[in-house]
Amino acid sequence: MSRPLPDGPAPSPLTDRFGRVHTDLRVSLTDRCNLRCTYCMPAEGLDWLPRPELLTDDEVVRLVDVATRRLGITEVRLTGGEPLLRRGLPGLVARLHALPDPPELSLTTNGIGLARSAAALRDAGLSRVNVSLDTLRPERFTAITRRDRLPDVLAGLRAARTAGLAPVKINTVPVRGVNDDEIGELAAFAVEHGYRARFIESMPLDAQGAWDRDRMVTAEEILGRLGERFDLIPAGRRDNAPAEEWRIAGTDTVVGVIASVTRPFCGGCDRVRLTADGHLRNCLFATEESDLRALLRGGAEDTEIEAAWRNCIAGKGPGHAIDSPEFRRPDRPMSAIGG
Ligand code: SAM
Ligand code: SF4
């Protein structure tokens, strides 16, 4: 429930010119990462944002406060880069949870370090977690992420479940010839351990610009692979959620498929993204951003930040058209935008 502003009426929704109401904010806390997933980053040579350019905790809290009190944002997902690399993350989560209109708080992470921090994050007010996991095979994990950290990720998953950060979702990006033969195994792993599984079509958002449509595994193929192993019962799509969901017959396990490329869900998009350096993007694929950090550091009032935010959403296009010849890659990669 949103409260009336001390100086005005309850916030009017953050609506764009197509009538889409935006309630879900993704906040990138860093562009750095301790893995180098091949579909996301090059092995080396990616420059990080200089530290002074990153939003401070105070600045993140201020922007989320404006978003929740004035703009009707109800959900905030913390992401990156790798958000667990952000120092003092439980403290930041606690401050967001203590806002006058606290959003539902979730985290997207590669899971490294989650074994140590899951309980503290839950105590601070985090509700849910998505953990990226593309393979259960150690050598393959090292080939995909260029780091030998599979045991840390599995320990992180277990800790998240024990801490009650439920539902714990596993995010997998299948890549042809790399891990597409493991789709059924990963879903079976989710069934066995009480996680949810989500399979995501790879998108042209890698920092090195090497995305190849032919190596993307389509939603249809993903469903084909799952169907070879399980009976799937359609569970629909939750309001504005990108994943189409199925329940695996005879289990409580839900699997989701995110068909960003072949069946984009732009018509129901309710998301807005804040980069780690304080730029607001109305789409993953936006080619323009609004510099909220400059406003913050220039002493702007909440009303000015609100106006800039509404203006950014007003300029949102109908969709990203990845699969069309007119598609233009955004200047920032996924790791710098916040996935
Ligand atoms: N480091 C965290 C993680 O891996 O979960 C959070 C950031 S990561 C950019 C967020 C999500 O984006 C992950 O689930 C990851 O698999 C996904 N991702 C990264 N690059 C992608 C790409 N090119 N296409 C589709 N999904 C991608
Ligand atoms: Fe890091 Fe996540 Fe990108 Fe993998 S997908 S390199 S874990 S930011």
Side-chain angles (χ1 to χ4, degrees):
M1 285 288 291
S2 40
R3 301 178 183 192
L5 292 173
D7 56 343
S12 64
L14 189 54
T15 311
D16 69 11
R17 64 205 158 104
F18 303 99
R20 294 172 294 196
V21 176
H22 296 74
T23 54
D24 182 341
L25 171 64
R26 312 264 141 158
V27 179
S28 173
L29 295 178
T30 175
D31 59 334
R32 293 172 192 242
C33 193
N34 39 15
L35 297 183
R36 292 287 180 286
C37 304
T38 45
Y39 52 77
C40 182
M41 288 188 184
E44 49 200 62
L46 188 59
D47 291 335
W48 307 129
L49 289 165
R51 275 193 198 278
E53 292 191 11
L54 296 187
L55 293 183
T56 63
D57 282 6
D58 285 350
E59 289 170 333
V60 171
V61 171
R62 167 116 189 262
L63 289 178
V64 174
D65 181 42
V66 170
T68 50
R69 268 190 313 117
R70 294 179 169 265
L71 296 159
I73 292 291
T74 55
E75 287 178 55
V76 171
R77 176 167 291 276
L78 304 174
T79 181
E82 179 41 52
L84 291 179
L85 292 180
R86 175 107 180 185
R87 252 187 232 137
L89 182 60
L92 176 58
V93 169
R95 289 182 65 187
L96 297 175
H97 187 59
L99 285 172
D101 266 332
E104 187 181 47
L105 289 164
S106 57
L107 179 78
T108 298
T109 171
N110 63 27
I112 296 174
L114 193 56
R116 276 195 312 281
S117 56
L121 288 167
R122 178 214 46 216
D123 292 347
L126 191 76
S127 301
R128 289 180 287 115
V129 67
N130 289 3
V131 178
S132 295
L133 178 65
D134 297 313
T135 176
L136 295 164
R137 304 180 193 175
E139 280 171 23
R140 191 177 273 187
F141 184 94
T142 306
I144 294 174
T145 68
R146 305 183 177 108
R147 301 286 186 273
D148 179 13
R149 306 296 296 268
L150 178 61
D152 303 271
V153 178
L154 297 178
L157 273 168
R158 287 192 295 272
R161 190 187 50 203
T162 306
L165 290 168
V168 177
K169 294 184 188 169
I170 294 175
N171 282 350
T172 301
V173 179
V175 177
R176 192 176 313 289
V178 175
N179 61 342
D180 53 335
D181 56 346
E182 242 184 293
I183 290 171
E185 267 166 70
L186 283 157
F189 175 79
V191 172
E192 187 186 343
H193 297 280
Y195 306 129
R196 290 192 184 190
R198 304 196 323 161
F199 298 93
I200 306 170
E201 286 182 348
S202 79
M203 293 180 274
L205 283 172
D206 54 309
Q208 64 275 34
W211 183 78
D212 172 0
R213 198 189 184 293
D214 293 338
R215 299 190 74 202
M216 174 190 73
V217 182
T218 65
E220 203 180 328
E221 291 173 273
I222 293 166
L223 283 169
R225 295 272 187 170
L226 291 169
E228 287 166 11
R229 187 151 177 167
F230 307 104
D231 285 335
L232 299 175
I233 301 165
R237 189 194 285 276
R238 276 168 301 107
D239 282 352
N240 299 328
E244 281 180 75
E245 294 186 329
W246 285 262
R247 192 168 58 74
I248 295 182
T251 77
D252 294 332
T253 304
V254 174
V255 292
V257 179
I258 304 186
S260 321
V261 179
T262 61
R263 296 206 283 262
F265 36 86
C266 304
C269 179
D270 63 354
R271 292 182 180 182
V272 54
R273 293 168 195 272
L274 183 63
T275 63
D277 59 348
H279 288 62
L280 197 65
R281 300 175 65 89
N282 57 28
C283 175
L284 254 182
F285 295 93
T287 47
E288 286 175 19
E289 302 180 336
S290 300
D291 186 355
L292 297 188
R293 189 191 62 199
L295 283 178
L296 280 173
R297 294 187 183 174
E301 300 287 338
D302 285 359
T303 47
E304 292 168 74
I305 294 169
E306 175 185 349
W309 204 305
R310 289 195 188 280
N311 202 27
C312 173
I313 294 299
K316 182 159 172 160
H320 57 57
I322 297 178
D323 239 5
S324 91
E326 291 86 54
F327 174 71
R328 250 182 76 202
R329 286 176 68 102
D331 293 337
R332 295 198 202 226
M334 178 84 129
S335 55
I337 296 170

